[in-house]
């Protein structure tokens, strides 16, 4: 059910969604080849965002994942070069898949669905959402336990790789 957005990058066609791994498609037949862990970058249960951002200045594609629970969230920003490899640390080295990604803890339930990039930052807006933790965990439809609060949203500037 990966049908939120499609991205063609480095001769690979992916479909993205908020619920899990992206799907790889045959770019000519448009047939589904299956879920993709992006060459081992993602683990089987990793969530992956449904949005990508292209940086034309560096010829890089950026994606994000967001692991959420009722009281906290962890956002991971991934930056890939034109060969769909995680970018290096500036010295040409990528060690244990830690290069090319940045992890940031966010307060509360961070419902992130889009982002923008500048030369130095990825920009995320976190709406002020509150939830009943037990109801969120036990419900068949956890989104029904979310309430938009009348507070200001948070703006996160995440350093790029």
């Amino acid at each position: 059910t990966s049908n939120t957005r499609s991205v063609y990058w480095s001769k690979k066609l992916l479909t993205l969604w908020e619920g899990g791994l992206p799907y790889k498609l045959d770019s000519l037949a448009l047939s589904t080849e299956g879920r993709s862990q992006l060459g081992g970058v993602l683990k089987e249960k990793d969530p992956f965002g449904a949005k990508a951002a292209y940086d034309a200045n560096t010829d890089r594609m950026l994606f994000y994942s967001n692991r959420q629970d009722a009281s906290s969230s962890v956002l991971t920003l991934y930056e890939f070069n034109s060969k769909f490899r995680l970018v290096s640390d500036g010295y040409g080295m990528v060690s244990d898949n830690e290069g090319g990604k940045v992890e940031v803890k966010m307060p509360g339930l961070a419902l992130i669905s889009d982002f923008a990039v500048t030369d130095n930052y990825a920009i995320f807006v976190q709406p002020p959402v509150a939830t009943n933790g037990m109801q969120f965990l036990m419900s068949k439809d956890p989104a029904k336990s979310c309430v938009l609060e009348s507070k200001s949203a948070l703006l996160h500037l995440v350093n790029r790789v």
Side-chain angles (χ1 to χ4, degrees), residues 18-125:
E18 298 288 342
L21 295 174
Y23 279 74
K24 185 177 177 188
L25 281 76
D26 180 294
S27 59
L28 293 176
L30 298 180
S31 58
T32 303
E33 294 181 2
R35 293 184 299 170
S36 174
Q37 292 176 289
L38 303 179
V41 171
L42 301 173
K43 295 180 177 47
E44 182 67 29
K45 297 289 184 185
D46 280 350
F48 203 62
K51 172 73 169 146
Y54 176 65
D55 182 348
N57 293 330
T58 59
D59 195 26
R60 293 179 177 175
M61 188 70 76
L62 290 86
F63 299 90
Y64 71 91
S65 69
N66 187 18
R67 291 187 315 274
Q68 320 163 299
D69 65 33
S71 61
S72 66
S73 301
V74 177
L75 181 126
T76 305
L77 179 68
Y78 300 91
E79 194 162 340
F80 292 92
N81 64 20
S82 61
K83 296 182 182 187
F84 222 124
R85 302 279 186 253
L86 287 173
V87 297
S88 67
D89 61 4
Y91 300 100
M93 302 297 293
V94 175
S95 60
D96 300 329
N97 281 338
E98 291 305 313
K101 63 183 184 178
V102 176
E103 200 169 90
V104 177
K105 292 182 180 179
M106 296 182 161
L109 177 66
L111 295 178
I112 306 292
S113 63
D114 201 355
F115 72 115
V117 295
T118 69
D119 289 342
N120 299 311
Y121 301 100
I123 304 166
F124 296 89
V125 176

